[in-house]
């Protein structure tokens, strides 16, 4: 296509080398509220040596030297970047927009530095690629982000476990106040609580929960029809 468009001749495929590749997997969380809540709750996640960028209800970005991780609201991303490209075409854009409501996308941008480490060579040909290898990178990177690694299992997130942990660390009144703060986060989401809490108190509470190794991000939970539902991207069914 490029050759035809520009009337040029390009080298054959054996002379092309990979500089970067993206692998993205999409999941259906049923509605936009679930997607936005899930993304906003992820804003408290951490990743070694990476700065997290959070766009409320829209996306999470973590840029690194080897990979960049993106979790985003597929509907809002499409409206922002691609809607204008299709609106004057024969593509049934309204049907598509309805179809992707509730879709969330987990994308891993794999950079050359990571590819060189994976293949132990400076120049990687397309024929050297295996989807399985790329999928493993995707899973390893998001496992670290979502705190599903074995060394993070000491964190507590269930109500009774959190209450017990806080009581063992803080005085009775302080433990109860922190537990109430934790329950409020689960009910309203981190962003909403941040908006409605005194700034100094908010950061003090967050700091004390972190010191107690309490998982208050709800990163594996979404609220669906007023109940807590576990969402595991490593077990959930992919959507095209």
């Amino acid at each position: 296509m490029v050759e035809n468009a520009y009337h040029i001749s390009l080298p054959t495929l054996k002379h092309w080398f990979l500089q970067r590749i993206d692998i993205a997997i999409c999941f259906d969380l049923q509605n936009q509220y679930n997607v936005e809540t899930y993304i906003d709750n992820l804003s408290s996640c951490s990743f070694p040596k990476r700065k997290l960028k959070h766009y409320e209800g829209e996306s999470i970005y973590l840029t690194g030297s080897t990979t960049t991780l993106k979790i985003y609201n597929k509907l809002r991303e499409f409206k922002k970047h691609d809607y204008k490209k299709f609106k004057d075409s024969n593509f049934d854009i309204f049907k598509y927009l309805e179809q992707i409501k509730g879709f969330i996308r987990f994308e891993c941008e794999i950079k050359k530095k990571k590819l060189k480490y994976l293949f132990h060579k400076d120049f990687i040909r397309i024929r050297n690629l295996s989807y399985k290898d790329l999928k493993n990178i995707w899973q390893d990177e998001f496992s670290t982000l979502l705190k599903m690694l074995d060394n993070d299992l000491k964190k507590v997130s269930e109500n009774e476990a959190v209450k017990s942990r806080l009581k063992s660390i803080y005085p009775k009144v302080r433990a109860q106040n922190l537990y109430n703060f934790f329950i409020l986060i689960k009910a309203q989401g981190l962003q909403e609580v941040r908006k409605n809490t005194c700034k100094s108190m908010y950061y003090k509470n967050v700091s004390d929960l972190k010191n107690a190794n309490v998982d208050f991000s709800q990163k594996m939970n979404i609220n669906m029809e007023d109940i807590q539902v576990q969402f595991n991207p490593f077990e959930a069914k992919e959507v095209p």
Side-chain angles (χ1 to χ4, degrees), residues 3 9-17 125-126:
E3 287 181 326
S9 294
L10 296 173
T12 60
L13 279 179
K14 68 179 181 180
H15 297 293
W16 288 78
F17 301 97
R125 298 180 190 274
I126 294 176

Side-chain angles (χ1 to χ4, degrees), residues 147-155 213:
K147 300 293 186 184
M148 294 186 67
L149 298 181
D150 290 341
N151 61 5
D152 197 54
L153 293 179
K154 292 180 181 178
K155 277 197 171 185
N213 215 17

Side-chain angles (χ1 to χ4, degrees), residues 116-131:
K116 287 170 65 176
Y117 174 79
L118 178 64
F119 292 101
H120 307 291
K121 56 178 70 176
D122 290 331
F123 300 99
I124 299 96
R125 298 180 190 274
I126 294 176
R127 68 187 181 196
N128 296 135
L129 289 178
S130 161
Y131 179 76

Side-chain angles (χ1 to χ4, degrees), residues 25-207:
I25 299 177
C26 207
F27 304 98
D28 187 358
L29 298 191
Q30 299 189 17
N31 59 61
Q32 284 300 102
Y33 174 79
N34 290 336
V35 175
E36 292 171 8
T37 300
Y38 185 82
I39 288 172
D40 290 343
N41 286 338
L42 281 172
S43 64
S44 64
C45 287
S46 60
F47 203 118
K49 300 180 181 180
R50 299 195 189 209
K51 184 177 180 180
L52 183 148
K53 282 187 178 180
H54 169 234
Y55 301 91
E56 189 170 350
E58 185 174 319
S59 60
I60 292 283
Y61 282 79
L62 292 108
T63 303
S65 61
T66 57
T67 62
T68 291
L69 302 182
K70 309 168 190 176
I71 301 178
Y72 54 88
N73 184 326
K74 180 59 182 172
L75 179 64
R76 291 179 62 171
E77 184 268 343
F78 180 85
K79 285 182 175 180
K80 186 174 182 179
H81 298 289
D82 299 310
Y83 181 81
K84 291 180 180 179
K85 301 174 186 177
F86 291 94
K87 69 175 185 177
D88 296 323
S89 70
N90 293 326
F91 182 69
D92 191 343
I93 195 167
F94 296 107
K95 180 179 179 181
Y96 182 71
L97 291 174
E98 190 63 31
Q99 179 184 345
I100 63 175
K101 280 183 180 179
F103 280 17
I104 191 168
R105 198 172 192 192
F106 286 65
E107 181 175 315
C108 179
E109 173 190 312
I110 306 170
K111 302 180 181 181
K112 186 177 181 180
K113 185 176 180 180
K114 186 75 170 181
L115 293 168
K116 287 170 65 176
Y117 174 79
L118 178 64
F119 292 101
H120 307 291
K121 56 178 70 176
D122 290 331
F123 300 99
I124 299 96
R125 298 180 190 274
I126 294 176
R127 68 187 181 196
N128 296 135
L129 289 178
S130 161
Y131 179 76
K132 182 179 179 181
D133 291 333
L134 302 178
K135 180 68 177 293
N136 286 339
I137 295 174
W138 180 94
Q139 180 153 332
D140 289 344
E141 295 289 303
F142 279 112
S143 290
T144 304
L145 170 64
L146 298 177
K147 300 293 186 184
M148 294 186 67
L149 298 181
D150 290 341
N151 61 5
D152 197 54
L153 293 179
K154 292 180 181 178
K155 277 197 171 185
V156 292
S157 59
E158 296 301 320
N159 292 4
E160 290 304 315
V162 169
K163 182 184 288 187
S164 176
R165 173 74 61 83
L166 293 173
K167 284 183 176 180
S168 70
I169 297 174
Y170 298 108
K172 184 177 180 180
V173 174
R174 181 60 182 153
Q176 186 60 49
N177 288 339
L178 283 172
Y179 180 70
N180 293 341
F181 184 75
F182 169 78
I183 293 298
L184 195 62
I185 291 174
K186 292 189 75 171
Q188 298 182 5
L190 197 64
Q191 296 304 311
E192 191 65 27
V193 172
R194 180 185 294 174
K195 291 177 186 177
N196 299 312
T197 305
C198 167
K199 187 175 181 179
S200 59
M201 180 59 68
Y202 171 82
Y203 285 107
K204 172 62 176 171
N205 288 348
V206 165
S207 177

